[in-house]
Amino acid sequence: MSILKQSVVLTIARTLTMVVQFISPIFLTRILTPTDYGHYQEFIVYSMLAVSFVEFSIKSNILYFVPRDPSKVREYLTGTTLLNLAFTALGALAIIVFRHRLAELTHWDVTRPMLLYLVTYVNLDYLEMFWIATRRTTNVLFYGLTLAIMRTLVVVAVAHYTRDVSKVVYALIIFQTAKCLFVASYVLYKRLLAWSIDWDLIVSQMKFVIPLGGAAVILYFNNEISKVIVSSQLGAIALAMYSIGSRQVPLTGIVRSSVSDVVFPEIVRLNRDDPKQGLMLWKRTNLIQTFFIIPIFFSTFFYADVIVTTLFTREYIKAVPIFRIYLLLMLLKDGIEMGAPLRAMHRNRVFIYGNILSLAVNVGLLYLLFRVYPYYGPAAALVLTTTALQIFLAVQIMNAYEASLKQLFLWRKHVYIAGAGVLLVPVMQLGQVVFGETIVPSVIFGAVYVLLYVLAVHLLRIDEVDQLLARTAGRLRANLLRT
């Protein structure tokens, strides 16, 4: 399967999965009161913060080691399993030790469900990485979508019939337990684990994971600390509003992560012969990502109020400014992916240094901006922090590949694509002036904007985009002929 086809399949898989998951808050905001939804978000925020520390990006080592040495797949999966168990034990111990402090920060006792959720969420959660590394992205499509549908059905059904946040949480834990049992059965049936332990390989995995995992933990902490502050200082209702506002558009992160996960092993392979080839693949990939991100950013930013009130009711209208601030992260992170070229060169320590820098910047900005703008300050701090981190990583990529700033991106093509997105914004303004801020005209004029954008970029004759559009059109014609 080609890189493009793998990327498309994985993007479709994660898009469908995220769409299903996105349905959950839409229903929950209608079933639960803002206060109850805030309590539910408290559990999610603190649990996922603990998960980020315990996961430590351990499963990402599969994307690096399996393509490099396919003959030792079983050993790498065994090492990943053991590392997950060890980190889970440390995480559970930390929750028990700090349970009293946790009780002070939250408005209900989340300690016991957090422990159970941590154990069932983190362990045996590497099937998708294994399939991506072995170029079986179709499996990811069916597996991820099935899990997302079942999880959403469980959460929404229990919320609807009980209106009890604690029962919703324990239903999630039961679901995660069932998933663990399924994966354990699959792994044993396929004989994907080795009976003996290769400690040297585990040490190699740890050396790869420690800098990458440390960076990921700091990055997640940076992204989520604002919710912790809002929850502890402003209360559950404020957290409910902030959580809705901070929900970024799922598709953009999916495109970035899907393409990155598929391209990363290919960059590793190309770098063995010529790092410049790996860098060129990354630059072309980033250009395609920018092509996807630009129309999504401008259309969602313009229609932010329509989107939030339609999806989550007018009770959450205060979330709109937060939503628009968080949309800026779409351009900063999703339009330009900065991790793959450094990971491919095994420069994982760079991520620790960069994220320590960003943590210091974020803490300082949070202190200043929260005092002045308690509700909007944390979101603005995150945007400025992310900007600083991206600049730092760009410098590190230039050093690793001995490239100049001019050689870092396909600058001229990026400017053309962004310019097309900006110049067509009046199309959406026209629709709003004529028909007002209602959902149907917004959808119609948003679609017109996207179509005109694709046409404009096509007329600009950008090779990478033209190849993508030509392949897409060819597949559509082939499918129509078959039918």
Side-chain angles (χ1 to χ4, degrees), residues 13 26 38 83 91 93 161 239 254 265 309 411 418 421 434 474 480:
I26 293 174
L83 289 173
L93 180 61
Y161 286 109
L239 176 61
I254 292 166
T309 56
W411 290 102
V434 175
L480 288 173

Side-chain angles (χ1 to χ4, degrees), residues 285-353:
T285 301
N286 265 335
L287 187 69
I288 294 297
Q289 290 182 184
T290 300
F291 169 70
F292 279 113
I293 296 304
I294 288 295
I296 299 173
F297 169 77
F298 282 110
S299 58
T300 51
F301 192 93
F302 189 83
Y303 292 122
D305 49 351
V306 178
I307 293 170
V308 170
T309 56
T310 300
L311 292 178
F312 306 108
T313 76
R314 292 200 65 83
E315 281 192 291
Y316 291 87
I317 188 67
K318 292 183 179 180
V320 172
I322 298 294
F323 183 71
R324 282 197 167 111
I325 294 172
Y326 264 83
L327 279 175
L328 297 173
L329 295 175
M330 185 190 299
L331 292 179
L332 292 171
K333 294 195 303 183
D334 299 334
I336 302 294
E337 192 280 327
M338 303 296 286
L342 290 170
R343 288 188 290 128
M345 293 288 278
H346 216 316
R347 299 290 183 96
N348 293 335
R349 290 184 181 180
V350 165
F351 296 105
I352 287 187
Y353 304 145

Side-chain angles (χ1 to χ4, degrees), residues 3 57 76 83 85 89 100 109 134 140 188 202 244 289 308 389 393 406 416 432 436 479 483:
I3 297 176
S57 293
Y76 290 129
L83 289 173
L85 285 170
H100 298 300
D109 186 8
T134 53
V140 178
L188 292 173
I202 292 179
I244 293 300
Q289 290 182 184
V308 170
L389 178 60
L393 293 177
K406 183 179 180 180
Y416 285 168
Q432 201 165 74
N479 290 334
T483 57

Side-chain angles (χ1 to χ4, degrees), residues 364-383:
L365 289 173
L366 276 171
Y367 178 77
L368 294 174
L369 296 179
F370 185 77
R371 291 165 64 91
V372 181
Y373 303 106
Y375 191 59
Y376 306 118
L382 179 59
V383 170

Side-chain angles (χ1 to χ4, degrees), residues 60-123:
S60 66
N61 83 87
I62 295 171
L63 292 178
Y64 178 80
F65 286 104
V66 170
R68 197 181 70 164
D69 190 0
S71 65
K72 295 183 178 179
V73 170
R74 296 172 67 208
E75 287 79 2
Y76 290 129
L77 292 185
T78 302
T80 302
T81 303
L82 293 175
L83 289 173
N84 276 332
L85 285 170
F87 274 70
T88 300
L90 292 174
L93 180 61
I95 291 175
I96 293 171
V97 170
F98 294 104
R99 64 187 182 279
H100 298 300
R101 178 57 180 159
L102 188 61
E104 294 173 359
L105 292 173
T106 57
H107 297 85
W108 64 293
D109 186 8
V110 299
T111 303
R112 183 176 299 175
M114 270 186 66
L115 282 170
L116 296 172
Y117 192 71
L118 183 73
V119 172
T120 56
Y121 189 98
V122 172
N123 289 288

Side-chain angles (χ1 to χ4, degrees), residues 15-315:
T15 299
L16 293 174
T17 298
M18 191 59 72
V19 165
V20 173
Q21 291 175 346
F22 199 73
I23 293 172
S24 177
I26 293 174
F27 280 101
L28 290 179
T29 52
R30 286 165 168 80
I31 295 171
L32 303 175
T33 66
T35 301
D36 287 339
Y37 185 70
H39 289 158
Y40 174 74
Q41 282 298 316
E42 275 188 324
F43 169 77
I44 296 297
V45 167
Y46 286 98
S47 294
M48 294 311 296
L49 191 60
V51 165
S52 71
F53 278 87
V54 172
E55 275 191 326
F56 212 70
S57 293
I58 291 171
K59 62 185 178 183
S60 66
N61 83 87
I62 295 171
L63 292 178
Y64 178 80
F65 286 104
V66 170
R68 197 181 70 164
D69 190 0
S71 65
K72 295 183 178 179
V73 170
R74 296 172 67 208
E75 287 79 2
Y76 290 129
L77 292 185
T78 302
T80 302
T81 303
L82 293 175
L83 289 173
N84 276 332
L85 285 170
F87 274 70
T88 300
L90 292 174
L93 180 61
I95 291 175
I96 293 171
V97 170
F98 294 104
R99 64 187 182 279
H100 298 300
R101 178 57 180 159
L102 188 61
E104 294 173 359
L105 292 173
T106 57
H107 297 85
W108 64 293
D109 186 8
V110 299
T111 303
R112 183 176 299 175
M114 270 186 66
L115 282 170
L116 296 172
Y117 192 71
L118 183 73
V119 172
T120 56
Y121 189 98
V122 172
N123 289 288
L124 297 175
D125 188 39
Y126 49 67
L127 271 187
E128 293 187 19
M129 290 297 180
F130 166 66
W131 285 327
I132 293 170
T134 53
R135 298 177 175 177
R136 286 181 278 179
T137 49
T138 304
N139 290 5
V140 178
L141 171 60
F142 295 111
Y143 175 74
L145 184 58
T146 301
L147 284 181
I149 292 172
M150 293 176 65
R151 177 188 172 106
T152 300
L153 288 174
V154 167
V155 169
V156 172
V158 174
H160 175 71
Y161 286 109
T162 67
R163 312 280 170 157
D164 187 323
V165 173
S166 63
K167 290 180 180 177
V168 174
V169 167
Y170 278 103
L172 264 180
I173 293 168
I174 293 171
F175 172 80
Q176 290 296 141
T177 303
K179 190 200 82 168
C180 278
L181 293 174
F182 168 78
V183 176
S185 302
Y186 177 88
V187 167
L188 292 173
Y189 176 74
K190 293 290 186 178
R191 298 181 180 179
L192 293 177
L193 297 180
W195 291 108
S196 59
I197 301 174
D198 190 327
W199 293 106
D200 290 335
L201 284 183
I202 292 179
V203 170
S204 298
Q205 288 175 291
M206 280 297 298
K207 288 180 179 178
F208 179 87
V209 163
I210 285 177
L212 199 61
V217 166
I218 297 172
L219 180 61
Y220 191 87
F221 183 80
N222 265 338
N223 290 339
E224 299 299 310
I225 186 61
S226 58
K227 294 178 183 176
V228 173
I229 291 174
V230 169
S231 172
S232 60
Q233 300 298 317
L234 302 181
I237 294 179
L239 176 61
M241 300 296 168
Y242 196 92
S243 297
I244 293 300
S246 63
R247 297 190 72 86
Q248 299 172 55
V249 179
L251 180 60
T252 59
I254 292 166
V255 171
R256 172 179 51 82
S257 62
S258 299
V259 173
S260 176
D261 285 347
V262 169
V263 169
F264 171 66
E266 301 303 326
I267 296 177
V268 172
R269 295 182 183 101
L270 288 173
N271 279 1
R272 287 184 300 192
D273 300 322
D274 182 5
K276 295 294 182 183
Q277 292 183 21
L279 185 65
M280 178 53 70
L281 174 60
W282 173 76
K283 290 194 292 186
R284 291 167 67 89
T285 301
N286 265 335
L287 187 69
I288 294 297
Q289 290 182 184
T290 300
F291 169 70
F292 279 113
I293 296 304
I294 288 295
I296 299 173
F297 169 77
F298 282 110
S299 58
T300 51
F301 192 93
F302 189 83
Y303 292 122
D305 49 351
V306 178
I307 293 170
V308 170
T309 56
T310 300
L311 292 178
F312 306 108
T313 76
R314 292 200 65 83
E315 281 192 291

